[in-house]
Amino acid sequence: MPKNLQLAITAFGEPDTLKLQQTDIPTPSEDQVLVKVAFAGVNPIDAKTRAGLGWGAEKIKDSLPWTPGFDAAGVVVHDSGEFKAGDRVVGRIVEGGGYGQYLCAPSDALSFVPEDVSLEQASTLPVAGLTALQALELANTTKDDKVLILAGAGGVGHIAIQLAKAKGADVFATSSSKNAEFVSSLGATALDYGKAPLEQQVQDIDVLIDLMGGDVGEAALASVKAGGRVVTVPTITAPRIIEAAEKRGVIAQGMLVQPNVTQLDALLNAVSDNSLTIEISKIYPLEDGVQAHVDIQSGRTRGKILLEIPQ
């Protein structure tokens, strides 16, 4: 009987609490599709959950060991409704499980992957792509806006720059000096966060997309003009950022990325027609997932990190 190899959080703590385990291949319910996973995205939320922080950890604290992985791309195993065996699919999997060979995914969370988009590219989009798109929409970003994106070289940031540019916005993005050229190549004005305080580098920002939170997110509020809009993505520090923004006469709100097949289809089509470029900095085999978590929690990664699931 074939087994399902997974990389699971065995306890809250450091990256080495991730351990390989074997379980039975799950059986999908009526509204689910069994997917053989090829690639899973590694996201900051995975590392926070593993460390025992935030809403994700709260949700799973009584069900360890638990397999993370909120975005996964792979191949449908059995015919199920509109999905046929062999179809290439990708989805934002709210219940996790992407760090494993087999996954029961809700059928209404899956998108078909276009022929000219690789499963590697597809697996970067459900969390990072939807976060970028939904943050810009939540801020009502338009072509006349001056937009500042924190952590512009990261998984969400490099997609957000391109989507904001596609709306016609004037985009500024923070990065390290070594990633400045990459950020500029995406069409943003790169701001080296190591050079000078942000408010000395840019002012009168209409829209701030805060992908950092904490001290960095709060300091960036000084660059936003009165009446400006802020979307802060890290949930742990969102209340602090919202409160600090209000004191400055700035409207701030937090967000939690939601599955949205229509939006995911649009992102996949943008990759297909080359209007959206995805940077994948590293693909680790599943057994090296501990190192992937060390990388992602450093906050210094460029583009996306993926796990390749053994077939």
Side-chain angles (χ1 to χ4, degrees):
M1 191 65 181
K3 288 285 189 182
N4 182 21
L5 183 68
Q6 299 173 312
L7 186 67
I9 297 170
T10 56
F12 291 141
E14 295 301 318
D16 61 7
T17 62
L18 290 166
K19 307 279 186 205
L20 289 170
Q21 65 175 24
Q22 284 199 330
T23 60
D24 291 331
I25 294 173
T27 303
S29 64
E30 221 172 89
D31 55 354
Q32 291 180 324
V33 178
L34 183 64
V35 177
K36 189 169 192 197
V37 181
F39 294 93
V42 178
N43 296 291
I45 183 67
D46 303 0
K48 283 179 182 150
T49 303
R50 187 216 69 241
L53 303 170
W55 62 270
E58 185 57 35
K59 206 165 111 176
I60 63 154
K61 65 179 193 295
D62 298 322
S63 45
L64 299 179
W66 180 82
T67 306
F70 296 108
D71 44 18
V75 176
V76 174
V77 179
H78 309 296
D79 290 2
S80 177
E82 64 175 315
F83 297 98
K84 302 288 174 262
D87 283 345
R88 300 186 323 138
V89 293
V90 64
R92 159 92 172 91
I93 313 300
V94 174
E95 298 306 321
Y99 292 16
Q101 288 173 305
Y102 291 91
L103 172 70
C104 287
S107 50
D108 61 2
L110 293 175
S111 289
F112 292 100
V113 178
E115 274 179 27
D116 52 358
V117 175
S118 69
L119 288 175
E120 292 99 312
Q121 289 172 310
S123 70
T124 68
L125 294 170
V127 173
L130 287 176
T131 299
L133 191 155
Q134 290 173 12
L136 290 165
E137 292 205 344
L138 196 56
N140 294 321
T141 311
T142 67
K143 67 175 171 46
D144 301 320
D145 284 329
K146 194 171 169 183
V147 176
L148 173 59
I149 295 166
L150 302 187
V156 178
H158 87 289
I159 296 173
I161 289 171
Q162 296 174 74
L163 297 180
K165 287 296 291 182
K167 288 177 179 286
D170 184 15
V171 184
F172 297 78
T174 64
S175 75
S176 63
S177 53
K178 75 173 179 4
N179 283 327
E181 200 176 315
F182 170 59
V183 163
S184 299
S185 75
L186 300 172
T189 300
L191 306 174
D192 179 354
Y193 57 68
K195 207 155 105 182
L198 211 44
E199 73 265 25
Q200 289 175 21
Q201 298 188 59
V202 69
Q203 282 287 341
D204 295 322
I205 289 295
D206 298 293
V207 172
L208 169 63
I209 304 297
D210 169 26
L211 303 175
M212 293 291 293
D215 293 344
V216 176
E218 187 169 344
L221 296 171
S223 293
V224 182
K225 70 182 188 187
R229 293 101 70 199
V230 177
V231 173
T232 182
V233 172
T235 52
I236 295 168
T237 58
R240 170 186 167 183
I241 302 298
I242 291 165
E243 189 183 340
E246 277 172 7
K247 289 179 181 161
R248 290 181 165 272
V250 171
I251 304 147
Q253 50 190 325
M255 69 162 276
L256 199 54
V257 61
Q258 300 299 326
N260 186 311
V261 168
T262 305
Q263 290 178 335
L264 187 51
D265 289 345
L267 290 165
L268 288 160
N269 290 332
V271 173
S272 175
D273 67 21
N274 295 318
S275 60
L276 178 62
T277 304
I278 301 298
E279 176 85 1
I280 298 171
S281 61
K282 194 97 186 186
I283 300 177
Y284 285 104
L286 183 65
E287 62 267 27
D288 291 347
V290 168
Q291 186 56 48
H293 271 234
V294 170
D295 287 4
I296 200 76
Q297 70 185 24
S298 75
R300 295 275 180 272
T301 50
R302 174 159 140 178
K304 286 287 298 179
I305 296 175
L306 305 180
L307 291 178
E308 184 168 8
I309 313 301
Q311 296 305 297

